[in-house]
Amino acid sequence: MIRAFIHASKVLTGEGILLKEGRMLKPEDVSAIDDGAVVFDEKKILWVGPTRELPKKYQRAKTTDLRKKRAIIPGLIDSHTHLVFAGSRAAEFARRAAGESYQKIAGEGGGILTTVRATRSASVQDLFQSALKRALIAYRFGVRTIECKSGYGLDHATELKCLEVVKHLRQALPQMTFVSTYLGAHAVPEGVKKSTYIDEIIHRTLPEVKRKGLAEFCDVFIDEGYYTIQEGERILRAAKKLGFKLKIHADELGNTQSTRLAAKLQAHSADHLLCVSDQSIRSLAKADTVATLLPGTALYLKVPYAPARKILDAGARVAIATDFNPGSCYSLNLPLMMNLSAMQMGMNLAEIFAGVTYSAACALGLEQSKGAILPGFDSDFIVLPYAEFEELYYRMGW
Ligand code: NIG
Ligand code: FE
């Protein structure tokens, strides 16, 4: 059935952002149409423009009049989350709040490994139920596409179990798009030699994940105390050979030059970048690799934000995501991350908008169908309960 929303206060199409491929954006690149209309069917957007120019052939479509009280934007994209895990790290949070560092707690066998213990003993059904609740919370924040990483299994069977959960989420919530990432190299499992685990990732898990179609992306946490740049490169090259798209948790806790590796391997994204070097920024600016910034993590870890202005002014594309996870950012609130991007990282309107639409779509390889309101794109947009898009992140943490 063909439907139309008419008299939207504004329709933010994102066309200007698309034309510039997400680089060097000015606020007006959001391409806002005043008193706009969107015509669409179950699958695709058919037409967008000012309501007064609505083509005759669509005037008999089933129409909703928004009376200039509501704005329309593309469905938001959270391009980096660790949605599937069991257990709670509330006790560790209390220790961090009292001053202990994330690294100290991890070094004592806590951190990611705490969540791994809980996740290994959870059933698929329990993991699914908790992930489903979280996905619905993200949905209420306007998120329509969400990336989900494994990485709390750290063994063949549990990593597969977590990726299976994403498959179940897809069936349970067809109104959302789930992108699945295998992050077996998230930490080194307890009691296993690192080289043995890397061999398992490369020779056993990656091929099986591929065969079963359980993930489109492969990610590695390259950082001090986790995986080295050489280990990361080995895993990612093996993944690429099998046809995975790549991501890297890069330069988060220290500077490992992993952002540069992401550009070199033509990864879809390099994520975190809290400690990124100028040299890495230059290589990123020349590449298609998206810089995915996660300001909630800097806030939650009490460390300086990523140098967003430097990265943007160098000409790189930037996505903004929650990094939702039980340790370093326990928040699903993407609009809050947009607020931090504006107030703490100095990003402008179009940069923030692109960060949760077009550039986030690029980070997931979905830029042909998601992140813009233009003919041919998916009918994947949200009608905001207010007239101005800025309300979305002006309302801090609502
Ligand atoms: O993205 N950096 C690695 N992984 C997560 C933290 C995971 C955890 O603490 O459970 C992150 O920050
Ligand atoms: Fe992460």
Side-chain angles (χ1 to χ4, degrees):
M1 182 181 42
I2 296 180
R3 295 186 58 189
F5 282 109
I6 60 169
H7 298 302
S9 55
K10 286 189 167 72
V11 179
L12 273 66
T13 69
E15 187 174 18
I17 293 167
L18 230 79
L19 293 172
K20 290 180 162 180
E21 294 182 349
R23 299 178 201 270
M24 300 290 190
L25 302 176
K26 298 272 181 305
E28 56 274 19
D29 293 323
V30 297
S31 302
I33 299 171
D34 290 324
D35 191 357
V38 183
V39 183
F40 60 102
D41 64 17
E42 286 82 359
K43 286 200 164 64
K44 297 287 175 195
I45 291 166
L46 303 172
W47 185 87
V48 59
T51 303
R52 67 185 136 71
E53 291 174 19
L54 186 72
K56 270 217 168 61
K57 62 175 175 179
Y58 294 133
Q59 279 166 4
R60 283 212 312 245
K62 185 173 181 304
T63 297
T64 307
D65 185 345
L66 301 176
R67 295 181 298 133
K68 299 193 196 170
K69 286 186 169 38
R70 306 179 70 172
I72 300 181
I73 63 170
L76 303 185
I77 302 171
D78 191 347
S79 60
H80 180 141
T81 84
H82 305 249
L83 200 74
V84 183
F85 61 85
S88 162
R89 303 246 290 275
E92 289 184 5
F93 174 72
R95 284 171 61 192
R96 288 206 307 109
E100 281 183 68
S101 75
Y102 179 86
Q103 286 94 325
K104 178 168 179 283
I105 293 169
E108 293 167 3
I112 292 173
L113 296 180
T114 300
T115 306
V116 168
R117 288 187 285 271
T119 305
R120 283 182 180 171
S121 54
S123 67
V124 177
Q125 193 53 27
D126 287 347
L127 285 167
F128 167 69
Q129 286 302 338
S130 58
L132 180 66
K133 278 189 199 140
R134 293 168 193 149
L136 287 168
I137 292 170
Y139 187 88
R140 287 202 294 271
F141 282 123
V143 174
R144 296 293 177 271
T145 299
I146 189 163
E147 186 253 12
C148 309
K149 300 176 196 296
S150 70
Y152 291 111
L154 305 188
D155 63 30
H156 181 78
T158 316
E159 287 294 315
L160 257 66
K161 178 171 77 176
C162 292
L163 294 171
E164 292 278 352
V165 169
V166 183
K167 222 171 74 183
H168 297 312
L169 288 172
R170 243 176 235 134
Q171 281 154 8
L173 293 177
Q175 64 272 45
M176 288 181 86
T177 301
F178 293 88
V179 175
S180 174
T181 298
Y182 168 58
L183 174 60
H186 191 198
V188 183
E190 282 172 298
V192 180
K193 238 176 89 190
K194 201 193 208 181
S195 58
T196 309
Y197 183 54
I198 294 175
D199 283 342
E200 177 177 279
I201 289 176
I202 292 177
H203 299 297
R204 187 166 176 220
T205 313
L206 269 173
E208 186 154 342
V209 169
K210 187 75 209 168
R211 223 177 9 257
K212 293 190 164 160
L214 287 175
E216 298 128 81
F217 282 87
C218 177
D219 192 346
V220 175
F221 186 18
I222 298 178
D223 226 310
E224 289 158 10
Y226 295 86
Y227 290 84
T228 67
I229 192 113
Q230 291 79 13
E231 292 160 346
E233 181 160 359
R234 203 180 137 217
I235 295 166
L236 292 164
R237 282 198 187 278
K240 197 170 180 170
K241 244 195 183 151
L242 289 169
F244 286 91
K245 294 177 261 187
L246 309 181
K247 293 184 171 294
I248 301 181
H249 271 68
D251 298 324
E252 178 185 1
L253 306 171
N255 169 22
T256 57
Q257 297 293 334
S258 37
T259 302
R260 212 149 49 109
L261 176 65
K264 185 173 99 179
L265 295 177
Q266 296 169 308
H268 275 60
S269 69
D271 303 42
H272 283 287
L273 280 56
L274 297 178
C275 305
V276 68
S277 69
D278 289 351
Q279 198 187 12
S280 281
I281 292 177
R282 280 194 295 276
S283 52
L284 202 59
K286 284 192 237 123
D288 285 334
T289 305
V290 174
T292 300
L293 304 186
L294 309 158
T297 308
L299 177 75
Y300 215 67
L301 292 178
K302 288 200 277 188
V303 297
Y305 290 89
R309 280 272 40 105
K310 254 192 186 176
I311 297 169
L312 288 158
D313 295 340
R317 306 199 272 202
V318 168
I320 301 162
T322 59
D323 191 25
F324 170 75
N325 75 76
S328 65
C329 190
Y330 199 38
S331 172
L332 285 160
N333 190 333
L334 191 57
L336 172 63
M337 308 313 157
M338 296 161 70
N339 176 284
L340 296 174
S341 301
M343 303 309 287
Q344 308 299 323
M345 300 202 299
M347 291 173 64
N348 75 32
L349 175 75
E351 290 165 343
I352 293 167
F353 181 80
V356 292
T357 57
Y358 171 77
S359 300
C362 291
L364 299 179
L366 295 174
E367 68 276 16
Q368 306 291 333
S369 55
K370 304 276 180 201
I373 303 181
L374 293 168
F377 277 70
D378 287 359
S379 298
D380 183 348
F381 54 84
I382 51 183
V383 181
L384 295 174
Y386 24 75
E388 299 296 333
F389 162 69
E390 288 89 335
E391 289 274 349
L392 186 61
Y393 62 107
Y394 156 54
R395 300 178 179 210
M396 193 177 90
W398 286 31

